[in-house]
């Protein structure tokens, strides 16, 4: 089996943030993404929102999801073994706009960098989660448009994930030998890998930081939680699970029902949590495509607990475009 035949690219990236309203305001106004889903965390006993954002078409590979943990009082430690930067794709001509836009909103940023021939800006959300915009001229996906961000300048979807590692060797072997990704280059402490032929939503970078202490693997404010890669369906995910287990990484979960996709999870040698999520269900399974994100939705298996789950949640105001 060649797992690279089953993994089509990134499916979504998920992080733990501060308050729900702060997150909604930042992602929809500063990042300019479309809010497409309000639901809750399916794992554990705490009642916590799970918020989804995406591009205009709510495509697999454009989705950024957040768990706001401030109200639950859960915090984490940033460090090695985590997703350092969640990368988003914009047109290269939009990079100067993003520098001005971030400065306007008083978001501290790296300024315009260049790595592997791409213009990049790194910044953080209010909870400290690392984010980047990457210039990619070949990404033709449909960006969401806001009052401040035009469709031409907007985020078109996920571009990549930058992973912080203390050691490169075993994570390199995992990416190339187990998952079948292609190593395409190194610049300084950054090692770049392509899923299939690379491009937007098909890039992983390892940032070698040998002296950075280990960070949290748990949920917690300011801590990225996992990377999800896209597979077609449960059959492919089951085959991928068996294959990964057969290489010796035996801590792969059973398939979990996430309502909008089905998933398996495994911990990598670098410490990051990888998910493999199916692409065959979609986000319009429980509300119309033109009304995505309008109301708090629960999966069928949680409906009998609706009052219990909703009562502790922070009150939120959704973006005005959801109410038009």
């Amino acid at each position: 089996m060649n797992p690279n035949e089953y993994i089509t690219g990134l499916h979504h990236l998920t992080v733990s943030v501060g308050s729900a309203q702060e997150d909604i305001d930042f992602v929809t106004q500063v990042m300019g993404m479309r809010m497409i889903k309000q639901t809750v965390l399916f794992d554990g006993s705490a009642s916590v929102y799970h918020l989804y954002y995406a591009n205009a078409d709510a495509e697999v590979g454009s989705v950024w999801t957040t768990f706001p943990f401030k109200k639950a009082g859960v915090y984490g430690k940033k460090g090695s073994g985590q997703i350092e930067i969640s990368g988003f794709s914009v047109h290269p001509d939009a990079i100067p706009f993003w520098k001005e836009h971030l400065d306007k909103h008083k978001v501290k940023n790296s300024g315009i960098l260049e790595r592997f021939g791409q213009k990049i800006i790194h910044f953080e959300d209010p909870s400290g989660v690392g984010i980047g915009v990457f210039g990619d001229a070949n990404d033709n996906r449909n960006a969401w448009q806001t009052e401040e961000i035009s469709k031409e300048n907007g985020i078109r979807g996920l571009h990549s994930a930058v992973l912080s590692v203390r050691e490169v060797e075993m994570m390199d072997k995992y990416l190339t030998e187990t998952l079948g990704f292609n190593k395409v280059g190194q610049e300084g402490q950054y090692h770049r890998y392509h899923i299939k032929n690379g491009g937007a939503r098909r890039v992983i970078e390892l940032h070698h930081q040998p002296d950075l202490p280990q960070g949290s693997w748990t949920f917690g404010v300011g801590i990225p939680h996992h990377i999800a890669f896209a597979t077609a369906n449960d059959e492919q995910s089951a085959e991928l699970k068996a294959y990964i287990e057969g290489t010796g990484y035996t801590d792969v979960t059973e398939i979990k029902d996430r309502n909008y996709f089905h998933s398996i999870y495994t911990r990598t040698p670098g410490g990051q949590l990888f998910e493999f999520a199916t692409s065959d269900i979609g986000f319009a399974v429980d509300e119309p495509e033109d009304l995505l994100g309008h109301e708090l939705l629960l999966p069928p298996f949680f409906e009998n607990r609706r009052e219990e789950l909703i009562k502790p949640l922070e009150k939120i105001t959704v973006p005005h475009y959801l109410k038009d």
Side-chain angles (χ1 to χ4, degrees):
M1 173 187 173
N2 180 1
N4 206 17
E5 294 178 3
Y6 286 3
I7 301 169
T8 59
L10 294 172
H11 186 287
H12 64 270
L13 294 172
T14 294
V15 301
S16 299
V17 297
S19 79
Q21 191 63 57
E22 180 181 62
D23 182 63
I24 291 168
D25 293 344
F26 186 83
V27 181
T28 62
Q29 296 173 24
V30 178
M31 294 176 66
M33 298 185 73
R34 179 187 180 191
M35 186 174 174
I36 64 164
K37 194 67 63 180
Q38 302 175 50
T39 185
V40 296
L41 174 62
F42 292 179
D43 298 323
S45 58
S47 185
V48 175
Y49 280 112
H50 194 179
L51 305 175
Y52 288 68
Y53 308 91
N55 66 9
D57 298 323
E59 293 175 272
V60 163
S62 76
V63 179
W64 164 260
T65 92
T66 64
F67 300 128
F69 263 91
K70 185 174 183 179
K71 195 169 189 296
V74 180
Y75 292 79
K77 174 190 173 186
K78 293 180 71 171
S80 180
Q82 297 173 344
I83 306 165
E84 181 184 7
I85 299 290
S86 295
F88 295 87
S89 178
V90 300
H91 194 277
D93 293 345
I95 291 290
F97 162 83
W98 278 93
K99 173 65 174 128
E100 295 177 6
H101 178 70
L102 292 169
D103 289 344
K104 174 185 173 182
H105 285 272
K106 296 181 172 53
V107 177
K108 186 178 179 181
N109 62 83
S110 65
I112 299 174
L113 309 172
E114 184 165 332
R115 191 163 70 245
F116 298 108
Q118 286 184 288
K119 301 292 186 184
I120 302 166
I121 302 176
H122 292 170
F123 57 99
E124 293 183 348
D125 85 336
S127 69
V129 169
I131 301 169
V133 286
F134 289 67
D136 191 318
N138 297 316
D139 188 354
N140 296 314
R141 290 176 293 176
N142 191 16
W144 186 246
Q145 182 167 316
T146 72
E147 293 174 356
E148 292 189 46
I149 305 174
S150 68
K151 192 173 290 290
E152 291 73 25
N153 288 333
I155 287 173
R156 301 181 178 202
L158 298 177
H159 177 271
S160 53
V162 181
L163 315 182
S164 176
V165 294
R166 290 178 63 109
E167 298 179 1
V168 172
E169 181 184 4
M170 296 310 296
M171 195 62 180
D172 176 274
K173 289 173 67 69
Y174 180 79
L175 293 177
T176 58
E177 296 181 9
T178 301
L179 298 185
F181 298 172
N182 304 304
K183 185 168 186 178
V184 295
Q186 178 180 351
E187 286 191 13
Q189 298 297 93
Y190 289 89
H191 301 249
R192 179 170 278 207
Y193 301 80
H194 283 175
I195 303 165
K196 299 186 183 299
N197 295 323
R201 86 178 187 94
R202 292 178 173 174
V203 176
I204 296 294
E205 289 181 7
L206 301 182
H207 184 193
H208 186 207
Q209 297 177 288
D211 299 321
L212 184 66
Q214 174 69 49
S216 304
W217 286 356
T218 57
F219 296 120
V221 173
I223 303 301
H225 191 256
H226 64 262
I227 306 172
F229 298 92
T231 62
N233 50 44
D234 284 349
E235 181 181 358
Q236 284 194 1
S237 291
E239 291 186 28
L240 189 59
K241 169 181 165 62
Y243 173 80
I244 294 172
E245 289 175 334
T247 67
Y249 297 97
T250 56
D251 60 339
V252 186
T253 68
E254 299 303 317
I255 294 175
K256 296 178 181 286
D257 183 355
R258 299 314 196 188
N259 205 36
Y260 311 110
F261 43 85
H262 294 164
S263 299
I264 57 174
Y265 300 81
T266 187
R267 188 69 64 178
T268 71
Q272 294 80 11
L273 183 63
F274 278 12
E275 174 184 357
F276 301 92
T278 61
S279 304
D280 57 347
I281 301 175
F283 301 101
V285 67
D286 54 1
E287 58 186 338
E289 289 188 14
D290 60 341
L291 296 177
L292 292 177
H294 275 63
E295 58 184 284
L296 180 65
L297 299 170
L298 299 178
F301 48 84
F302 273 2
E303 275 298 343
N304 64 332
R305 298 177 56 202
R306 176 173 280 272
E307 184 176 353
E308 167 200 348
L309 291 170
I310 292 178
K311 186 177 180 180
L313 295 175
E314 172 188 347
K315 303 302 180 186
I316 60 173
T317 301
V318 298
H320 67 84
Y321 64 78
L322 294 185
K323 296 188 279 188
D324 293 342

